[in-house]
């Protein structure tokens, strides 16, 4: 594709290429105040992008005051002076703390290489499928303008029943509650299990959002050290016997941040210990659709008795859809539904309709296979490169997007130089209970297969 004068080719996403390119053209007076911009379809054709992408970019430019929309006429450069840049600190000045990880990197204006983030690149998703489904939904006038059902769209829950049944989990339609992603699912479960102020067990290292949320709720967190096969069973039993926790939050499959998964032996022992010490298990399987082989989940082995199971479509379909779900024992499902309604009423039915349509799309299986292949290929390359540099990789056989690695250079020096180079890294203490110091870091393999990152690491080893 030839270079278009309204594109910033160096921007990370297609939307950012348009937003940055047009705002830069306005600042440089290459686009005059009051001048008309190309139509959405025209610019999409010229840039080789979808109208959906151009539309989102134009919407952002309108919100920021660069351009204005005139009904039945088009988009025009605003006549007032261009907006002043926000007084946000540069990437190199941001503190390395949980607040930055949980909020700062989600800002649409964030720049830099997201080597430590928790999501896949925008262009790895099937944008064309989403556009096709949106058009078909609008054409068939099946968009619901009402509140959804308390437990979620019935047709989607019926679909999920079939999917879970294929994985050996006998969950009825009344045992499934849809949520706005996995984080929302965890919040509902925390409320229902009344964990605030209680002793709870968590993976160590584990999911940073969950650790921050539990800490905010005043929970006493006890970390279960991970091995390449899953949690250390000796430590797990000691903690259960000593602290008598009510619940163990765990991410058994392609774990965030280590990339490791439970072995069958460890999975069975975790369930046995939970039964022995009367501990509920919250099984976070957020990457279920990205597993090379579907996992024999704890919930399936347990018969959905003392395990609350959750997953999400944010990683496999699109993070913007924000659709997840919980499968729970029937006595807990009713309580979760009530808490869901108290917290925010029903989940967005339009998002649920889109997810169901995408799941039933004839091309979805092929795209998902390609997505898994891309992740596995990127992970294998990254692990091989880390090991070539002499770095220690926690799970050398990992197949998911996350890699837990320990560099041969000082972490403080690594983080400082990465910030100066515009590379976002995720230091390991963000994934530890009580932010305990560690030499490890989380990497996202989907962002590492490029010459800029390799040259950065080579430069570190040469110093």
């Amino acid at each position: 594709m030839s270079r278009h004068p309204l594109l910033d080719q160096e921007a990370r996403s297609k939307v950012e290429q348009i937003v940055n390119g047009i705002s830069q053209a306005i600042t440089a007076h290459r686009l005059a105040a009051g001048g008309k911009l190309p139509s959405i379809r025209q610019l999409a054709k010229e840039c080789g992008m979808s109208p959906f992408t151009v539309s989102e970019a134009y919407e952002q430019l309108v919100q920021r005051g660069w351009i204005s929309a005139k009904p039945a006429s088009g988009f025009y450069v605003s006549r007032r002076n261009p907006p002043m840049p926000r007084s946000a600190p540069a990437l190199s000045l941001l503190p390395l703390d949980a607040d930055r990880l949980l909020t700062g990197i989600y800002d649409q204006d964030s720049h830099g290489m997201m080597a430590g983030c928790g999501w896949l690149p925008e262009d790895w998703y099937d944008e064309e499928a989403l556009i096709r489904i949106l058009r078909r939904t609008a054409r068939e006038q099946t968009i619901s303008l009402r509140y959804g059902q308390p437990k979620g769209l019935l047709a989607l829950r019926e679909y999920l029943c079939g999917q879970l049944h294929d994985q050996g989990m006998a969950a009825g339609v009344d045992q499934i509650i849809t949520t706005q992603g996995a984080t929302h699912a965890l919040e509902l479960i925390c409320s229902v299990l009344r964990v605030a102020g209680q002793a709870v067990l968590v993976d160590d290292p584990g999911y940073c959002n969950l650790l921050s949320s539990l800490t905010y709720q005043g929970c006493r967190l006890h970390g279960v050290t991970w091995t390449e096969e899953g949690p250390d069973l000796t430590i797990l039993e000691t903690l259960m016997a000593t602290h008598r926790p009510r619940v163990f939050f765990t991410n058994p499959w392609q774990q965030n941040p280590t990339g490791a998964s439970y072995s069958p032996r460890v999975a069975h022992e975790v369930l046995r210990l939970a039964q022995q010490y009367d501990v509920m298990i919250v099984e976070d399987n957020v990457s279920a659709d990205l597993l090379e082989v579907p996992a024999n989940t704890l919930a399936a082995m347990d018969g959905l008795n003392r395990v609350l199971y959750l997953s999400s479509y944010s990683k496999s379909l699109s993070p913007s859809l924000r659709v997840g779900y919980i499968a729970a024992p029937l006595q807990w499902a009713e309580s979760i539904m009530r808490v869901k309604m108290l917290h925010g009423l029903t989940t967005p039915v339009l998002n649920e309709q889109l997810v169901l349509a995408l799941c039933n799309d004839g091309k979805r299986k092929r795209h998902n296979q390609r997505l898994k292949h891309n992740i596995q290929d990127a992970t294998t390359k990254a692990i091989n490169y880390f090991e070539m540099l002499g770095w220690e990789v926690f799970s050398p056989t990992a197949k998911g997007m996350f890699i837990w690695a320990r560099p041969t250079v000082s972490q403080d020096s690594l983080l400082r130089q990465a910030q100066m180079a515009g590379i976002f890294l995720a230091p390991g203490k963000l994934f530890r209970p009580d932010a305990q110091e560690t030499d490890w870091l989380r990497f996202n393999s989907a962002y590492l297969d490029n010459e800029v990152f390799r040259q950065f690491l080579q430069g570190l080893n040469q110093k």
Side-chain angles (χ1 to χ4, degrees):
M1 181 178 67
S2 60
R3 184 178 181 88
H4 193 281
L6 295 182
L7 290 185
D8 174 10
Q9 301 283 2
E10 296 180 359
R12 180 173 61 87
S13 71
K14 294 178 182 179
V15 171
E16 287 177 345
Q17 288 178 15
I18 300 171
V19 171
N20 294 355
I22 291 178
S23 60
Q24 290 166 8
I26 294 173
T27 302
H29 303 292
R30 288 187 282 110
L31 288 175
K36 187 174 183 179
L37 293 168
S39 69
I40 290 175
R41 289 190 178 278
Q42 179 185 345
L43 188 59
K45 183 177 181 180
E46 292 175 358
C47 298
M49 298 181 182
S50 74
F52 183 81
T53 298
V54 178
S55 176
E56 183 178 345
Y58 274 12
E59 182 179 345
Q60 288 190 24
L61 287 163
V62 169
Q63 292 174 350
R64 301 179 194 183
W66 289 105
I67 67 176
S68 59
K70 296 183 180 180
S73 179
F75 293 87
Y76 294 81
V77 177
S78 295
R79 290 188 177 277
R80 64 181 179 82
N81 292 330
M84 294 295 291
R86 289 193 290 171
S87 57
L91 176 67
S92 60
L93 300 178
L94 287 171
L96 290 168
D97 57 18
D99 180 67
R100 172 184 162 199
L101 189 70
L102 295 174
T103 57
I105 63 172
Y106 289 93
D107 193 311
Q108 291 293 325
D109 289 339
S110 293
H111 297 290
M113 182 184 299
M114 297 296 181
C117 73
W119 58 86
L120 295 173
E122 182 181 340
D123 56 5
W124 282 35
Y125 293 106
D126 193 352
E127 182 183 49
E128 294 301 321
L130 180 56
I131 294 171
R132 185 173 65 253
I133 296 298
L134 280 167
R135 287 174 175 166
R136 188 177 73 197
T137 302
R139 185 172 61 250
E140 296 175 356
Q141 297 182 333
T142 57
I143 296 175
S144 174
L145 300 179
R146 303 187 304 173
Y147 280 112
Q149 297 162 305
K151 286 188 176 179
L153 183 68
L154 178 59
L156 177 58
R157 289 186 288 126
E158 289 174 339
Y159 171 84
L160 289 169
C161 280
Q163 294 296 107
L164 295 176
H165 184 271
D166 291 343
Q167 299 171 26
M169 194 185 312
V173 70
D174 288 331
Q175 294 177 265
I176 296 176
I177 304 95
T178 62
T179 65
Q180 296 186 56
T183 300
H184 182 219
L186 286 166
E187 288 299 311
L188 295 179
I189 289 171
C190 286
S191 293
V192 168
L193 296 183
R194 301 181 183 275
V195 300
Q198 302 297 313
V200 298
L201 302 186
V202 294
D203 292 339
D204 182 12
Y207 178 42
C208 57
N209 288 29
L210 173 65
L211 300 181
S212 296
S213 175
L214 293 173
T215 299
Y216 179 77
Q217 296 178 65
C219 295
R220 301 190 302 278
L221 274 58
H222 300 283
V224 184
T225 304
W226 262 61
T227 72
E228 197 181 343
E229 290 187 89
D232 185 303
L233 295 172
T234 301
I235 292 176
L236 177 63
E237 182 167 17
T238 299
L239 291 173
M240 285 184 174
T242 303
H243 300 286
R244 295 291 175 172
R246 185 172 191 184
V247 60
F248 174 30
F249 293 90
T250 187
N251 175 199
W253 321 108
Q254 291 187 359
Q255 194 240 14
N256 180 2
T258 67
S261 295
Y262 277 31
S263 69
R265 178 186 68 86
V266 167
H268 285 287
E269 279 299 297
V270 167
L271 289 173
R272 185 188 67 78
L273 291 172
Q275 175 71 31
Q276 179 180 342
Y277 291 98
D278 192 24
V279 177
M280 294 290 297
I281 294 178
V282 176
E283 179 179 11
D284 180 354
N285 193 11
V286 69
S287 297
D289 280 358
L290 301 179
L291 298 177
E292 187 176 21
V293 178
N296 185 17
T297 63
L298 301 180
M301 289 186 279
D302 171 68
L304 212 60
N305 179 32
R306 63 173 56 251
V307 176
L308 295 168
Y309 177 90
L310 66 98
S311 190
S312 168
Y313 288 104
S314 295
K315 286 186 167 50
S316 60
L317 292 182
S318 170
S320 64
L321 288 174
R322 308 306 305 146
V323 174
Y325 61 93
I326 300 168
L330 193 58
Q331 67 271 26
W332 290 108
E334 295 300 317
S335 298
I336 293 170
M337 180 267 288
R338 290 184 174 86
V339 170
K340 171 185 170 180
M341 295 297 290
L342 286 171
H343 279 201
L345 298 178
T346 64
T347 37
V349 67
L350 177 57
N351 288 13
E352 294 174 334
Q353 287 179 309
L354 292 175
V355 163
L356 179 61
L358 285 167
C359 288
N360 287 322
D361 185 65
K363 298 181 180 179
R364 195 246 172 162
K365 184 175 181 180
R366 184 171 57 191
H367 170 75
N368 202 53
Q369 285 298 120
R370 184 166 63 249
L371 189 62
K372 289 190 285 188
H373 171 78
N374 290 343
I375 293 171
Q376 292 173 20
D377 183 59
T379 299
T380 299
K381 288 180 180 178
I383 289 175
N384 289 341
Y385 194 73
F386 284 145
E387 291 181 334
M388 183 189 75
L389 295 174
W391 290 30
E392 183 178 357
V393 176
F394 184 88
S395 181
T397 59
K399 300 295 183 183
M401 71 176 75
F402 296 120
I403 301 173
W404 190 240
R406 179 156 54 186
T408 55
V409 297
S410 160
Q411 186 174 118
D412 287 342
S413 174
L414 172 63
L415 295 173
R416 185 170 58 253
Q417 293 182 60
Q419 285 185 292
M420 296 301 294
I423 297 174
F424 170 81
L425 297 180
K429 69 178 182 179
L430 299 178
F431 306 90
R432 302 287 310 281
D434 301 320
Q436 299 157 12
E437 291 293 337
T438 177
D439 294 332
W440 296 81
L441 297 97
R442 183 188 76 175
F443 291 90
N444 184 334
S445 65
Y447 294 85
L448 307 185
D449 189 16
N450 61 79
E451 194 59 32
V452 173
F453 187 69
R454 284 191 288 268
Q455 287 182 358
F456 169 73
L457 294 185
Q458 287 175 359
L460 290 174
N461 271 31
Q462 292 169 1
K463 293 179 179 179

